[in-house]
Amino acid sequence: MDRRKKAHMSTLTKIAMILLVSAAVGFMLGFVQIASVADPAPAPPPFANSVEQRMEMIAELRKIRELLTRQNELISQQNSLLKEQNDLLRKMAVFHKVPGDAQSTSTQSTQ
């Protein structure tokens, strides 16, 4: 009888240990699931957002258009200044120009 009691006790002990380990593992798995549900990290989308890309492209194109407009204004101003400078140089050349006949006669008379 003693042997039967020991065998029965060891079986009960084994079952109790298995149940205890199973409960501990189940508790830990349940805790991990609750923790992961409580703090979900948003996954990055698999593809880029096309709407955001279009909005960025539109913003960049607007900046480029503004820069081109400014560049055209500067080029127009530069052209006006160059025309004024050219006109002044022509006027100065006409004012300081010595007629060809007068210059040739002055050089002949000195010889």
Side-chain angles (χ1 to χ4, degrees), residues 49-62:
N49 189 343
S50 62
V51 175
E52 288 178 9
Q53 284 181 335
R54 284 187 196 118
M55 296 307 289
E56 288 175 13
M57 289 173 61
I58 289 170
E60 291 295 324
L61 288 171
R62 284 184 177 145

Side-chain angles (χ1 to χ4, degrees), residues 19 64 68 73 109:
L19 286 175
I64 290 170
L68 285 172
E73 290 171 1
S109 61

